[in-house]
Amino acid sequence: MTPDVILKEWVARVEQPFLMPFQIPLSENYPYLLWRAVRHPGKALAGLRAVSRMPSYVWIEITNRCNIRCRSCSKFYQKGDSSTDMEWDLFDSILTHVAPTAKCINLTGIGEPLFHLQAERIFDRLQEHPSLRVEFTTNAQLMSEEWIRRLSSMKCSVTFSLDGTTEEVYRLNRPTGHLSKVRAALQQARE
C-alpha cells in the first residue's frame, strides 16, 4: 500500500481518533479541530500534498484519561468526564502502518499513558519493533519496579513530569498526586 493510499484511507476515517500523517490532531480530544475538519473539510485539507513516505516521528495519544487531577490541566476544570482510551484495533492499525518507516513513536498526550487499560499490551506490541524508539511523559504515579524493568529493556525515553521538589509545592498543582511516588520511581530508574 502506497503512502498516498494510506493518507486517503486515513482522511476517509476522519471521525475516528488518530493523528494523520500531516500532524493535524483530529480526535475526540480536540473537539474544535474535529468539528472544523468535519464541517469544513476543504479548509482542513487545503494545501495538503501527497506524501512520498510515512512520517519518521509519530505522536499517538493512546489515552486522555489521567490518574491525577492537576490544577494546570484543562481537565481539572471540565464538568463531567469524557475521557477515553484509544481502542486496541486502532492503535494496532496505526502502528502497523507507521512502524516500518518510523524512527520514533511518542505516546504523550493529555492523559497518562500508563493509565491506559491495555498499557501492558501496547508496550508489548511496541517491543516487537526493537529499532523503534518509544517516548512518553509520565506523572510517575503508576511507575512501578516492573514498569521500570520493562521500559529499561526497550529503546525508550521517559520524561518524568513534576511540579515541585517539596511535597507542599508539588501539592499546589497536583493535589491528588504524591511526590514520594515520583522520587521512588526516579530512584529506581537511576538504579
Side-chain angles (χ1 to χ4, degrees):
M1 189 177 291
T2 67
D4 292 14
V5 173
I6 293 169
L7 177 61
K8 287 176 187 170
E9 193 176 286
W10 283 2
V11 169
R13 293 175 49 189
V14 78
E15 74 281 356
Q16 303 257 344
F18 64 90
L19 268 173
M20 289 184 171
F22 42 85
Q23 299 297 309
I24 297 175
L26 298 175
S27 74
E28 62 195 9
N29 305 330
Y30 303 96
Y32 173 72
L33 291 175
L34 177 61
W35 174 84
R36 192 173 74 189
V38 171
R39 184 90 171 164
H40 308 286
K43 288 182 182 178
L45 303 176
L48 294 182
R49 54 184 165 54
V51 292
S52 59
R53 61 183 174 84
M54 295 299 287
S56 60
Y57 192 99
V58 179
W59 287 65
I60 303 174
E61 184 176 22
I62 59 173
T63 186
N64 66 353
R65 294 183 324 115
C66 193
N67 56 327
I68 61 174
R69 294 185 48 91
C70 301
R71 285 189 173 97
S72 61
C73 180
S74 62
K75 293 173 86 49
F76 185 82
Y77 302 97
Q78 288 177 346
K79 293 179 181 167
D81 189 9
S82 62
S83 300
T84 186
D85 290 342
M86 178 181 278
E87 291 180 19
W88 168 257
D89 292 339
L90 179 59
F91 172 80
D92 190 52
S93 172
I94 293 169
L95 187 62
T96 299
H97 283 95
V98 301
T101 57
K103 292 183 173 118
C104 182
I105 300 279
N106 191 315
L107 302 177
T108 303
I110 288 178
E112 167 60 43
L114 300 180
F115 200 51
H116 190 289
L117 294 175
Q118 296 187 53
E120 290 181 17
R121 186 176 182 194
I122 287 171
F123 280 90
D124 286 344
R125 180 74 169 91
L126 289 165
Q127 278 187 302
E128 294 173 17
H129 303 279
S131 64
L132 190 62
R133 180 180 171 84
V134 177
E135 296 179 353
F136 70 96
T137 299
T138 179
N139 60 36
Q141 301 299 298
L142 302 172
M143 187 64 74
S144 63
E145 279 187 57
E146 180 184 332
W147 270 114
I148 290 170
R149 269 194 294 279
R150 176 190 295 253
L151 298 171
S152 298
S153 68
M154 296 175 67
K155 192 175 178 182
C156 191
S157 175
V158 181
T159 301
F160 289 81
S161 173
L162 62 134
D163 290 313
T165 55
T166 67
E167 195 72 42
E168 181 182 52
V169 172
Y170 183 82
R171 291 276 179 131
L172 288 174
N173 183 47
R174 298 182 178 188
T176 60
H178 301 281
L179 183 60
S180 59
K181 289 183 179 181
V182 179
R183 286 184 179 143
L186 286 168
Q187 181 66 34
Q188 291 169 359
R190 186 181 311 138
E191 293 169 4

